[in-house]
Amino acid sequence: MSDSDDREFTPAESVCPFCGVGCGIRYDPDSGGARGWRGPVNTKGEVCPKGVAAWDVVDHPDRLTAPLVREDGDLVETTWDDALDRVESAFGSVVAEHGPDAVSVFASSNCTNEENYVLQKCARLLGTNNVDNCARLCHSSTVAAMRDRFGAGAATNSLDDLREADALLVVGANPAENHPVIFRSYILPALRAGATMIHVDPRETATTAGADVHLQVRPGYDISLLNALAAVVVGDGLVDEAFCADRVDGLAAFERFAAGLDVDEEAARAGVDTADIRAAAHAYATADRAAIVTGMGVSQHHYGTATVHALLNLALLTGNVGRRGTGVNPLRGQNNVQGASDVGALPDRLPGGRPVTDPDARAAVADVWGVAPDDLPADPGLTEVEATHAFGDDVRAAFVLGENPAVTEPNAGRVADALDALECLVVQDLFRTETADHADVVLPGSAWAERGGTVTNTDRQVIRMRPNAAPPADARRDLDVLCDLGARLTGRPEAFDYDGPEAVFEELTAATPPYAGMSYAGIDTGSQRWPFPAGADEGTAVLHRTTFANGNRRTPLRVVDHVDPADAVGDDDLVLTTGRVIEHFNSGALTRRSDRLVRMRGDETLQIHPDDAEVLGVADGDQVRIENDRGRTTAVAEVTPAVRPGTVFATFHTLAPLANALTGDTLDPVAKIPEYKHSAVRVRVVTTDGAE
Ligand SMILES: Nc1nc2c(c(=O)[nH]1)N[C@H]1C(S)=C(S)[C@@H](COP(=O)(O)OP(=O)(O)OC[C@H]3O[C@@H](n4cnc5c(=O)[nH]c(N)nc54)[C@H](O)[C@@H]3O)O[C@H]1N2
Ligand SMILES: Nc1nc2c(c(=O)[nH]1)N[C@H]1C(S)=C(S)[C@@H](COP(=O)(O)OP(=O)(O)OC[C@H]3O[C@@H](n4cnc5c(=O)[nH]c(N)nc54)[C@H](O)[C@@H]3O)O[C@H]1N2
Ligand code: SF4
Ligand SMILES: [Mo]
């Protein structure tokens, strides 16, 4: 039953709960759904189909409306007092017996800066740095490489800049489906004005439609491809010598490395034509302003950080950093994946990106929090997948805010066992998710339209959300629940006594240097962008203009060698890569509940090339079984030349196929991101009754 009868809905400018574009949306009384307003990013009020469907989850009959606790194996409704008492007592015993590092906290890129700030404060005052958010699973490798070389792990340029680019190198990203308003309102205008686009993707997607050159790379072989591009830049005299002399170290050594590469060999290993590599290198390097747009195809490998380093080499060699229309621009995941990390929901970083190991940084944060510097833990905590692997062992209790790891973490069979190995799992969500099915306590939180607060979008703009409704029945605002938990778990009620989200924002701007000086009033219905120098109105659009964000004028080029994917691919195997479609979002917890989105796209399919389909006897529409040593799942075959021969593609938006039953959990050594984009699998036809 819908609860719309007993709740009042009032339109107020808020932000779409889905992707990192950060479109302004609000309740629309005329349609009874959501609608765009002229926000700082969607300046004409434009939204994609998910933005329109965003209201469907606010007013959905499946919403959790009371806390649940496990009794005799089942989850049953209870009061808030009982649920929070149980969390307090279970976490209290774990800490008493095993210490605070036996607790792990998953923060949420789907939640606001204020909520993430309060949650990481709670973890740290409890005594652990075991707090992370699912930035770990998307751009942690990008952030690691960019922070290392540029001093800041964020988009170097603004979205406005993309419109001014003469060339766009889009690598392992599908903005037409995953950041639709960026594609339509920022990338297409550049293409219409004559910009050249190079698209690097093993599949032809809606994004490829705008490309002049499509490099259909073998999944996992981007380093070879990027090195081949760099070798052409060096070999054909396309290096920006003046820029390199001024801003770059190690040019001579890098040129020796590039000269030693055989472009044909690297291209062949990457599975692309040398002629296309040459055309792409010339288009990128000879453009006056060339911008890189990068996504999961680059970042989600166990050598994701190394791949991003290879990408940064290209931008530096060609002088495409520090000017409008250039740069390296990761398109971020959820509406607040940038902000969750900015405000400290990371195991090695305090608010503002300062290392937990830095005593001065700890002292500065402790000062804002009114505690002694020694009260803050100094050792880096566990990242998300590392924490999951420690469940039942070093980690005994976990709190998961707005994430669905049972569906989204790699090697789902292992994740399910890990969740069950915990002494206490607490999940705070809108719905009874697959992860909640493993929980001991489930807390009903608030949807996008039921909260105030701020989120930070993909080009570092801090934007405000405003409540359009109260949470349904006994569900509560996430921030209020987190403040209650903080007070109970840390024994420091005064540290969590805030008069609403604006008060939290004021404190977090004091604890997060790039946000210093921002305010709710200043943001209003626009945005404030970090870094936000004193006296600035809108913040800095182009980073690294005269010095990199670490204060250095120069940064090194980095020699990067090809690394093999973790899975060996046998003669009978195909390579599964995974990703997204426009209608659905991540684990599908929200979008699978929207009738209008499910009508637009119902079945989940496995894209397979006609050549492979023929060998395997698979016809379009057949049920296929996909399996490897880690697990198995089924899907409907979509036989299409859009995917590279030898490669198959599925989304991870549903339980069938549950793509992550098949993915491996080898982690990048630097960023600890898993290998979502390369798994060896066997594909077989099954009849409708499941027989082979
Ligand atoms: N509609 C929709 N939008 C979303 C999301 C969603 O679930 N649905 N999720 C949001 C989130 S959390 C994120 S992080 C972003 C991600 O946005 P994107 O980075 O665009 O995400 P993906 O679709 O996972 O991957 C992009 C492309 O990489 C290609 N690819 C696969 N393997 C490789 C490879 O080895 N090399 C290269 N070069 N390419 C490869 C895939 O074919 C795919 O087209 O999207 C956000 N926006
Ligand atoms: N195979 C494969 N797996 C992948 C990826 C891939 O490309 N391939 N991509 C990875 C990436 S980039 C990401 S970011 C992760 C995403 O992984 P998750 O973050 O686990 O995925 P979501 O579906 O976004 O989960 C969000 C959960 O938060 C809940 N929620 C949404 N809004 C709110 C709110 O306001 N309050 C509360 N309390 N709860 C809320 C939703 O109901 C949902 O259960 O998946 C990763 N997994
Ligand atoms: S582009 Fe992203 S932020 Fe904008 S409406 Fe679509 S899903 Fe929402
Ligand atoms: Mo993501």
Side-chain angles (χ1 to χ4, degrees), residues 108 110-111 134-135 137-138 296 300 334 401-405 407-409 428-431 433 445-448 451 478 578-580 585-590 652 659-660 663 676-677:
S108 177
N110 297 294
C111 288
C134 70
L137 309 177
C138 30
M296 302 297 97
Q300 290 178 329
Q334 295 89 342
L401 172 70
E403 287 197 5
N404 196 0
V407 179
T408 54
E409 280 200 14
Q428 182 166 324
D429 207 295
L430 311 178
F431 296 105
T433 60
S446 45
W448 65 273
R451 54 157 52 87
D478 285 319
T578 59
R580 296 155 164 84
F585 196 75
N586 292 352
S587 72
L590 304 187
F652 65 109
N660 283 319
T663 50
Y676 286 123
K677 295 277 194 269

Side-chain angles (χ1 to χ4, degrees), residues 8-135:
E8 265 184 44
F9 302 141
T10 319
E13 289 84 359
S14 188
V15 181
C16 174
F18 297 112
C19 84
V21 178
C23 295
I25 62 167
R26 65 181 165 208
Y27 175 64
D28 172 38
D30 295 335
S31 65
R35 199 183 171 141
W37 54 276
R38 293 166 180 265
V41 187
N42 58 332
T43 53
K44 299 191 187 73
E46 69 275 32
V47 291
C48 82
K50 287 186 300 304
V52 174
W55 193 262
D56 301 356
V57 299
V58 176
D59 192 19
H60 195 282
D62 290 355
R63 281 288 298 273
L64 292 168
T65 52
L68 306 175
V69 290
R70 197 163 292 278
E71 288 286 356
D72 300 326
D74 291 328
L75 285 173
V76 295
E77 291 197 356
T78 189
T79 61
W80 275 99
D81 271 345
D82 178 44
L84 295 180
D85 283 350
R86 290 189 195 214
V87 179
E88 188 179 341
S89 122
F91 278 51
S93 340
V94 165
V95 171
E97 206 174 322
H98 306 282
D101 286 335
V103 170
S104 164
V105 170
F106 288 19
S108 177
S109 331
N110 297 294
C111 288
T112 60
N113 286 320
E114 292 74 10
E115 289 149 0
N116 281 287
Y117 175 81
V118 163
L119 186 54
Q120 60 84 36
K121 182 178 185 183
C122 170
R124 293 191 157 114
L125 291 182
L126 188 67
T128 183
N129 280 316
N130 287 345
V131 55
D132 203 3
N133 77 89
C134 70

Side-chain angles (χ1 to χ4, degrees), residues 597-646:
L597 292 174
V598 170
R599 271 199 305 276
M600 289 171 73
R601 190 180 171 104
D603 275 350
E604 281 303 314
T605 58
L606 181 78
Q607 290 188 326
I608 182 167
H609 190 273
D611 294 353
D612 297 317
E614 195 183 337
V615 172
L616 296 170
V618 172
D620 195 57
D622 276 354
Q623 277 280 324
V624 290
R625 195 172 77 195
I626 320 158
E627 64 181 334
N628 61 18
D629 294 347
R630 291 179 287 265
R632 63 161 63 171
T633 183
T634 56
V636 177
E638 178 194 341
V639 178
T640 166
V643 65
R644 245 188 98 84

Side-chain angles (χ1 to χ4, degrees), residues 174 178 201 203 220 222 296 301 577 580-581 584 586 677:
N174 182 10
N178 301 334
D201 196 304
R203 298 184 307 134
D222 294 86
M296 302 297 97
H301 292 284
T577 190
R580 296 155 164 84
V581 292
H584 290 286
N586 292 352
K677 295 277 194 269

Side-chain angles (χ1 to χ4, degrees), residues 263-310:
V263 176
D264 289 325
E265 245 173 54
E266 297 300 320
R269 181 152 59 180
V272 297
D273 284 343
T274 309
D276 291 341
I277 290 272
R278 291 194 182 281
H282 279 259
Y284 175 76
T286 60
D288 183 23
R289 297 154 185 245
I292 290 173
V293 169
T294 175
M296 302 297 97
V298 170
S299 61
Q300 290 178 329
H301 292 284
H302 79 91
Y303 37 83
T305 307
T307 313
V308 177
H309 278 301

